[in-house]
Amino acid sequence: MKTIVIPQFYRGPSGQKGLYNRQEVGLARAFAALGCRAVVLYPEPGAKAPKVETPEPNVKICYLPAVAFGTQALYKSWQILLDEQADAVHVMGDNSVGVPGLYRFCEKHGIVFYSQLGALKSTSNHAIVRGVMDLLLHRNLTVYRKTPTYAKTPAVAAELESLGVPCRGLMPVGLDTAIIPTIPGSKAMIRRELNINEQVKVLAFVGRLDAYKQPLDLVPLLQAAPDWYAVIIGQGAQSDELARRLTEAGPDPPAAQRAGAYLLSCLQRFCEPERKRDFRYEPVGGYVRGLPAGGPPCAGTGFNY
């Protein structure tokens, strides 16, 4: 049985424990279903000793001591790869500063290194941080040019090619579907509980309200679809700006409402207008519930359904 280790370098707000977009755990479950053993590594800055969880057979989650570096982390040691007898590492390192060190360790010990990338440029709100991270990215690109590299989206695949990194193909992001709850009751009952009109069409935005997700695109979308009711789930740097623009959109703007997990059972269509890094968690979440999914516009300023 092959052992695949999946290290996480990111320690920001998304993909936290208990969230269905915790892609490393979803990927580990998928590897286990294919007959592999998967070990997920999460950084724990300040931890003195590792912690271990085993959510199912052949899936192991390890929380390891690490050093914080903004929203990233550096592991104090890669010895765990030898302890777990890793055959390969599945690296979603993007522009993480720990990628070159991991590559050197794998090269030294004969461990297969391959990457699945979703973003290359920094999305920090601080220009200096963006500049430094984009400079450090060149170290990672050197590694990616030497090793099998896959892209999460066509846009990233094109960017890799433009940077001289051969892209082996597309490898979309998964979900930890095992933790998505089944909500009892009919759609009508759930809508009543959420105070949503049972007759209207519902469009939801699920995700961080930060610039790289382009949540402000929801305003022209709702103006073009006046018969749709909007439910916005999330928070971020553009929360206030989005609320302001929705208020100014007209004397009777489409309603914007925050809600919770119940929406997975009552939405008619999901939409996330992120073009650069279109993980499609929300549409996939819709498919899990047997619902149709929507995506970004094909052309022009309106959204195509």
Side-chain angles (χ1 to χ4, degrees), residues 194-196 205-206 230-234 256-263 266-267:
L194 294 171
N195 195 28
I196 297 175
F205 175 90
V206 186
V231 179
I232 300 172
I233 308 168
Q257 174 182 340
R258 296 186 186 278
Y262 287 108
L263 291 167
C266 74
L267 297 181

Side-chain angles (χ1 to χ4, degrees), residues 197-209:
N197 189 311
E198 297 175 34
Q199 306 303 319
V200 300
K201 296 179 179 179
V202 174
L203 182 145
F205 175 90
V206 186
R208 292 204 303 279
L209 302 181

Side-chain angles (χ1 to χ4, degrees), residues 40-87:
V40 179
L41 308 181
Y42 284 115
E44 282 284 313
K48 295 181 179 179
K51 294 185 296 183
V52 176
E53 296 176 356
T54 53
E56 65 180 70
N58 294 324
V59 174
K60 184 176 183 179
I61 303 174
C62 301
Y63 301 88
L64 303 178
V67 177
F69 183 74
T71 58
Q72 298 185 17
L74 290 171
Y75 290 95
K76 293 185 177 181
S77 170
W78 291 112
Q79 176 62 34
I80 192 169
L81 300 184
L82 303 182
D83 296 342
E84 296 292 343
Q85 298 182 323
D87 295 291

Side-chain angles (χ1 to χ4, degrees), residues 30-192:
F31 280 139
L34 293 172
C36 297
R37 178 174 173 269
V39 180
V40 179
L41 308 181
Y42 284 115
E44 282 284 313
K48 295 181 179 179
K51 294 185 296 183
V52 176
E53 296 176 356
T54 53
E56 65 180 70
N58 294 324
V59 174
K60 184 176 183 179
I61 303 174
C62 301
Y63 301 88
L64 303 178
V67 177
F69 183 74
T71 58
Q72 298 185 17
L74 290 171
Y75 290 95
K76 293 185 177 181
S77 170
W78 291 112
Q79 176 62 34
I80 192 169
L81 300 184
L82 303 182
D83 296 342
E84 296 292 343
Q85 298 182 323
D87 295 291
V89 290
H90 181 112
V91 183
M92 292 182 277
D94 296 340
N95 65 350
S96 299
V97 295
V99 168
L102 173 58
Y103 168 72
R104 289 191 295 270
F105 187 93
C106 291
E107 186 179 39
K108 178 180 178 180
H109 295 282
I111 300 170
V112 174
F113 179 110
Y114 69 96
S115 302
Q116 178 194 15
L117 306 180
L120 296 174
K121 299 291 186 178
S122 171
T123 59
S124 171
N125 294 324
H126 305 286
I128 294 177
V129 174
R130 288 198 305 272
V132 171
M133 293 307 300
D134 289 345
L135 284 174
L136 292 175
L137 172 64
H138 292 288
R139 300 164 66 243
N140 292 17
L141 293 176
T142 300
V143 173
Y144 299 146
R145 292 185 184 108
K146 298 177 182 179
T147 55
T149 302
Y150 297 84
K152 293 176 179 177
T153 70
V156 175
E159 186 175 9
L160 286 170
E161 294 289 350
S162 72
L163 293 170
V165 179
C167 181
R168 297 288 186 93
L170 296 179
M171 189 184 294
V173 166
L175 301 173
D176 184 10
T177 57
I179 69 167
I180 298 178
T182 298
I183 305 300
S186 65
K187 178 194 295 185
M189 184 190 76
I190 295 168
R191 284 197 175 198
R192 286 195 297 270

